[in-house]
Amino acid sequence: MSENCVFCKIVRGDIPSTKVYEDDLALAFRDITPAAPTHVLIVPKQHISSLAEISDANAEVYAGLLKIAAQVARDEGIAESGYRVVTNIGDEGGQSVHHLHFHLLGGRKMTWPPG
Ligand code: AMP
C-alpha cells in the first residue's frame, strides 16, 4: 500500500468507487471520467507503479488483471461487439495515476491511432 496513492485509497475503501468486480487480487470500478459507455479500471490490490514493473515474480498479477478485464467485458455485454484494453505508462504514455491499471473501454466504435 502507498499512503497517498488514490487507487490504494479506493482499494482500502477510503475513497468511494463504483465497483463492478472484486477478488483477492484486484478491484474493478467505473472510471470517474468515462471515455466510452463502458469504462472500467482494473486495479491490483497491491501497489505496483505500472506495466514497467513486470517481472518473473509478479507476472501472474498482470495475467490475472487481463483475465478480469475479459470477464468484466462479458459481464458488461460488450464481449461480442468488441472492446479495448489499454494501460498507460509514464508521462508520454499518458499515465496520470501511478498505480498499475488496465482501462477497459467499450460500447462504442474505437478509433486508431489513439491520441
Ligand atoms: P491514467 O491516466 O491512464 O493513469 O488513468 C487514470 C484514470 O483514473 C483516469 O481515466 C481517471 O479518470 C481515473 N480516475 C482518477 N481518479 C479516480 C477516482 N477517484 N475514481 C475513478 N476513476 C478515477
Side-chain angles (χ1 to χ4, degrees):
M1 287 291 168
S2 179
E3 198 55 39
N4 291 315
C5 168
V6 63
F7 288 173
C8 284
K9 287 180 181 173
I10 287 174
V11 167
R12 284 199 297 268
D14 295 347
I15 292 178
S17 68
T18 307
K19 280 183 217 173
V20 298
Y21 179 91
E22 183 170 13
D23 63 17
D24 289 345
L25 175 80
L27 192 62
F29 53 91
R30 298 199 188 281
D31 197 292
I32 204 167
T33 312
T38 291
H39 188 173
V40 170
L41 303 174
I42 300 102
V43 168
K45 289 189 168 174
Q46 115 187 57
H47 184 85
I48 299 173
S49 297
S50 78
L51 179 69
E53 304 300 313
I54 195 167
S55 69
D56 288 342
N58 67 9
E60 78 286 350
V61 173
Y62 294 76
L65 297 176
L66 291 172
K67 211 170 129 193
I68 292 165
Q71 179 61 53
V72 173
R74 286 191 289 273
D75 296 344
E76 292 284 311
I78 57 172
E80 295 299 319
S81 52
Y83 55 92
R84 182 169 292 168
V85 176
V86 64
T87 189
N88 298 322
I89 300 140
D91 188 29
E92 291 207 352
Q95 186 176 9
S96 61
V97 177
H98 294 273
H99 179 129
L100 173 66
H101 51 285
F102 286 101
H103 297 255
L104 169 65
L105 297 148
R108 67 166 169 85
K109 180 80 176 166
M110 297 295 152
T111 58
W112 193 264

